[in-house]
Amino acid sequence: QVQLVESGGGLVQPGGSLRLSCAASGFTFSSAAMNWYRQAPGKERELVATISSDGRRTNYVDSEKGRFTISRDNAKNTVYLQMNSLKPEDTAVYYCNAEVRNFFGIQYYWGQGTQVTVSS
């Protein structure tokens, strides 16, 4: 079955950095676009960054451009989110999302999430 396991979250001071990882299994990782979402308390889940299956194209929410970098290592079936210059408003549960293609189209799968807390 498809599995996405996030790691790397934790408590960090404003201005600090974290790198999140998402280990994927159960599908052809190299054929799947991958995304990072986050959900803060009282808010809807929002898209943070996307990366194409081959890693050549990336997109970010405007507020994260220049601070966050999404990348992937298809040999390791892993997608990363490097987060720099973190702000308190970045505090959220961060989720890895996979766009898995099948006969009928695209199925979306989610990891359990990892908590990121930015606080002094």
Side-chain angles (χ1 to χ4, degrees):
Q1 65 183 48
V2 172
Q3 287 190 318
L4 302 171
V5 181
E6 301 98 333
S7 62
L11 176 64
V12 64
Q13 295 185 174
S17 298
L18 285 173
R19 190 178 78 155
L20 307 183
S21 298
C22 174
S25 62
F27 63 99
T28 304
F29 182 78
S30 61
S31 297
M34 301 295 294
N35 313 293
W36 284 99
Y37 285 77
R38 68 185 180 188
Q39 187 166 22
K43 296 184 178 180
E44 296 183 352
R45 190 170 298 185
E46 64 177 356
L47 180 67
V48 176
T50 67
I51 188 167
S52 62
S53 59
D54 60 7
R56 294 180 178 179
R57 300 180 299 280
T58 59
N59 287 286
Y60 305 89
V61 176
D62 287 344
S63 61
E64 274 68 54
K65 288 184 177 179
R67 299 193 301 122
F68 290 9
T69 302
I70 188 171
S71 62
R72 67 191 297 158
D73 186 341
N74 283 353
K76 297 182 178 179
N77 283 11
T78 302
V79 63
Y80 306 94
L81 184 67
Q82 178 68 46
M83 304 186 293
N84 300 323
S85 302
L86 284 163
K87 305 174 181 179
E89 50 263 45
D90 295 319
T91 296
V93 177
Y94 283 71
Y95 297 91
C96 180
N97 170 265
E99 301 179 17
V100 181
R101 304 186 72 88
N102 59 29
F103 180 80
F104 299 101
I106 300 175
Q107 291 287 115
Y108 297 90
Y109 295 90
W110 299 88
Q112 187 175 358
T114 184
Q115 177 71 49
V116 172
T117 302
V118 184
S119 176
S120 60

